[in-house]
Amino acid sequence: MADAQSPGLPTDVVLLLDFVNTLDVEKLVDAVPTSDALATWSRARGLLSPGETFSPEAFKAAIEAREALRAVLLSHTGEPLPPAELRTLDRVAALSPLTLGFSPDSVRLRPAGTGGWKVLGGLFAAIVSTQQDGHWPRLKVCAAGACQEAFFDTSKNRSGRWCSMAVCGNRTKLQRFRASPSKR
């Protein structure tokens, strides 16, 4: 598996992994607990211009979208996807306007909103881009319940379930072994 720091991953893949990983589920540490913190995070990634901010509504929508996106990426490991998470993404996407950008060799979605809505539009454009280039199903969330770190599955058959086989994979397999009635 590869994480968001791995060289060679497309920019949109790294952006989406970094966004979902702003919440460390295992340690319960949120890197963007306020709208100002999320604005700083967004500026560092070129998604928000100096002076632009997140309205309270856009901040709330961003956190809801992050957690709905976490559920979608977890479903890429085979876990069930609650329909409410897709409705959340639909609702937030409807508030995050996009337009087309043209270059001599491509057409790309780009955000058309302002402030936090522009950031959300950029994230939704990144989702479409990763889906179009075939990377979307490889964006996953670690199936180890305590971890839930977003990662990029580099396995040949796209069967990766854990962010790290050495840590989360072994931990999960050991828990299953200990719970098994046939253990020796």
Side-chain angles (χ1 to χ4, degrees):
M1 303 325 140
D3 64 19
Q5 308 307 317
S6 296
L9 288 180
T11 304
D12 287 338
V13 167
V14 172
L15 174 65
L16 294 170
L17 295 176
D18 283 351
F19 179 62
V20 172
N21 287 334
T22 57
L23 177 63
D24 183 328
V25 173
E26 193 166 23
K27 295 177 185 171
L28 293 176
V29 175
D30 194 340
V32 293
T34 65
S35 59
D36 287 342
L38 185 53
T40 299
W41 181 92
S42 300
R43 281 188 205 96
R45 284 149 186 84
L47 300 172
L48 199 62
S49 302
E52 287 186 295
T53 61
F54 272 80
S55 67
E57 297 81 15
F59 175 70
K60 181 178 185 257
I63 299 306
E64 290 172 345
R66 177 186 68 188
E67 296 315 307
L69 185 55
R70 181 185 314 282
V72 170
L73 299 187
L74 184 58
S75 77
H76 290 175
T77 66
E79 297 295 322
L81 176 61
E85 304 299 353
L86 294 176
R87 288 192 299 273
T88 295
L89 290 171
D90 283 342
R91 179 178 46 78
V92 175
L95 298 169
S96 309
L98 294 168
T99 188
L100 293 176
F102 294 88
S103 68
D105 57 346
S106 70
V107 178
R108 192 168 163 87
L109 288 174
R110 65 175 184 213
T114 59
W117 299 112
K118 179 171 82 174
V119 172
L120 286 163
L123 291 166
F124 285 112
I127 290 170
V128 171
S129 171
T130 61
Q131 196 280 327
Q132 288 176 333
D133 67 17
H135 290 108
W136 179 243
R138 291 185 177 271
L139 274 73
K140 299 181 177 184
V141 163
C142 185
C147 179
Q148 294 194 7
E149 180 175 338
F151 68 96
F152 185 77
D153 180 2
T154 58
S155 66
K156 285 185 180 182
N157 64 0
R158 300 177 184 201
S159 64
R161 293 186 40 82
W162 302 290
C163 63
S164 165
M165 184 58 198
V167 178
C168 290
N170 283 338
R171 182 186 318 161
T172 301
K173 288 179 177 188
L174 183 59
Q175 288 169 347
R176 284 185 193 150
F177 174 75
R178 287 181 178 158
S180 150
S182 63
K183 69 178 181 180
R184 298 175 217 195

